[in-house]
Amino acid sequence: MPKFDFDLITMGHGSGGLLTHKLLQSGVFEIFNNDLLNQQHDGASFELPGKLAFSTDSYVISPIFFPGGNIGELAINGTVNDLAMCGAQAKHMSLALIIEEGLPMADFWKILQSIKAAADSAKVKIVTGDTKVVEKGKGDQIFINTSGIGIIHPKANIHHNNIKTGDLIVISGKIATHGIAIMSVRKGLEFETTIESDTINLNHTVATLIHKFEDGIRFLRDPTRGGVASVLNEVTEMTRLGAYLNQSSLPIDEQVEGACEMLGLDPLYVANEGIFIAIVDPAIATDFLQVLQTDQNGKYAAIIGEITNEYAGKVVLKTRIGSKHIVHYLTGEQLPRIC
């Protein structure tokens, strides 16, 4: 951590004056040093070849430090993954920080370091951004917005219009891990567990799959807020097809499942940050799964269901005891401030 003249973020750090200059020069610009950011202009100027994808997201998680990560890496991984779900490799990102007065500089520096590590892992550059400070009590330590631009893989053709009856639904890893990791440290709900968030960038994994299977991959989506259930309800609503899931096929950590039962939560609705749902041509499904399972980010991947003409516009779950029930959209807010 650089030597700062201050231990806490103050309102002066958002004034645009000397304190802002010191914060940016010794902190932000130093750690994210690159040729485009170093221009220190109001925006970044660059050229990218090919078809592009653009995404933006805001992160307001509580607590900002949690088992397995913090708000910084979550912000980078989230936008990188959103672009990956479009079939794109993130290249350049913006970073906007809304900091509450009183945030310790040590915590701010840890978050910056995590942002840097996540960006390096994803091979993405932070090229522009913004910093604001709000009065104590008018924020929650720190909020982050990231926007990203990526180049779409030339072999990608990912769209819900491509989904057909008989396509298989693949999940790349264990569900509900991130949401339960957050709940395990939330004030008033703490319980002993070794569960850590699954936050990770998925862009390299997805690029490998697209390169090999091309348009056999019909659709991709990361099941963050609202979980697996929300993604598949969106799919069935858009396509007017049905999704038939097998509960016995859903990969879930034993501790996570136990915590969900204890808290009265359905893991299908719990947020994830390091997995994706793929809907694929049945002709490639076995090979797709095998390739995915050889990747560190997909070793627990499984085929969890199929797209069907039955149950049009609905998601139906076959339970472990053989009964069937409709999985609706999440009503209300199950897990507040989860990403």
Side-chain angles (χ1 to χ4, degrees):
M1 180 173 169
K3 183 171 175 58
F4 292 103
D5 298 333
F6 37 84
D7 296 324
L8 301 174
I9 297 288
T10 68
M11 290 301 295
H13 290 109
S15 68
L18 180 61
L19 286 178
T20 303
H21 179 75
K22 285 184 175 181
L23 181 69
L24 294 178
Q25 294 299 326
S26 301
V28 177
F29 287 130
E30 181 176 304
I31 198 167
F32 301 134
N33 172 50
N34 66 67
D35 54 340
L36 294 176
L37 185 64
N38 290 346
Q39 294 173 17
Q40 296 187 28
H41 209 306
D42 280 347
S45 301
F46 52 83
E47 292 183 5
L48 290 175
K51 191 176 179 181
L52 304 180
F54 176 68
S55 184
T56 189
D57 211 341
S58 298
Y59 299 84
V60 294
I61 195 165
S62 178
I64 59 172
F65 294 96
F66 49 82
N70 63 58
I71 192 172
E73 64 193 276
L74 191 70
I76 299 300
N77 292 338
T79 295
V80 166
N81 292 346
D82 285 346
L83 291 170
M85 298 305 105
C86 301
Q89 287 285 300
K91 293 298 179 183
H92 298 322
M93 290 181 67
S94 68
L95 174 69
L97 306 167
I98 301 174
I99 311 167
E100 185 183 24
E101 178 187 17
L103 180 72
M105 281 304 301
D107 287 351
F108 184 59
W109 186 249
K110 285 179 190 174
I111 290 167
L112 291 183
Q113 286 180 307
S114 295
I115 290 171
K116 170 66 172 170
D120 286 349
S121 175
K123 297 184 179 176
V124 62
K125 284 184 179 180
I126 294 165
V127 299
T128 189
D130 184 48
T131 303
K132 294 288 188 295
V133 179
V134 297
E135 294 173 358
K136 194 167 185 65
K138 294 193 175 178
D140 192 354
Q141 296 185 277
I142 186 170
F143 299 152
I144 299 178
N145 174 274
T146 47
S147 295
I149 293 176
I151 302 172
I152 296 177
H153 195 293
K155 295 181 177 180
N157 182 21
I158 296 164
H159 198 281
H160 68 266
N161 287 341
N162 298 329
I163 298 172
K164 300 175 182 176
T165 299
D167 285 347
L168 296 181
I169 304 165
V170 178
I171 193 89
S172 70
K174 295 180 178 180
I175 66 170
T177 305
H178 173 74
I180 295 302
I182 301 302
M183 296 300 285
S184 72
V185 291
R186 183 155 286 167
K187 192 171 183 180
L189 287 171
E190 293 100 333
F191 52 90
E192 288 188 14
T193 176
T194 57
I195 300 166
E196 293 188 347
S197 169
D198 59 353
T199 179
I200 197 71
N201 62 75
L202 299 167
N203 55 333
H204 307 310
T205 302
V206 170
T208 298
L209 293 167
I210 292 173
H211 182 74
K212 184 169 180 63
F213 297 106
E214 304 181 10
D215 59 4
I217 303 171
R218 317 279 204 211
F219 181 81
L220 294 170
R221 184 67 61 84
D222 53 339
T224 51
R225 282 182 304 169
V228 172
S230 293
V231 169
L232 292 178
N233 269 285
E234 288 171 6
V235 167
T236 57
E237 185 177 66
M238 291 185 294
T239 62
R240 301 313 301 167
L241 296 171
Y244 186 62
L245 303 182
N246 188 341
Q247 187 179 32
S248 299
S249 301
L250 289 166
I252 182 168
D253 182 87
E254 189 176 331
Q255 282 193 83
V256 170
E257 189 168 29
C260 285
E261 288 178 5
M262 182 180 72
L263 296 169
L265 302 175
D266 185 335
L268 283 172
Y269 294 102
V270 178
N272 311 273
E273 288 291 345
I275 63 173
F276 61 87
I277 291 171
I279 298 178
V280 302
D281 185 333
I284 69 158
T286 300
D287 289 343
F288 180 90
L289 188 63
Q290 287 176 348
V291 171
L292 182 52
Q293 287 174 338
T294 63
D295 189 289
Q296 180 64 25
N297 295 331
K299 57 185 179 180
Y300 299 111
I303 295 171
I304 61 170
E306 66 177 312
I307 301 298
T308 173
N309 276 327
E310 292 186 84
Y311 322 115
K314 294 181 173 60
V315 180
V316 174
L317 178 73
K318 179 184 177 183
T319 67
R320 292 189 181 98
I321 61 171
S323 62
K324 298 174 186 175
H325 71 83
I326 296 173
V327 179
H328 296 284
Y329 271 111
L330 176 63
T331 357
E333 185 67 71
Q334 186 185 39
L335 297 171
R337 302 287 301 280
I338 212 74
C339 59

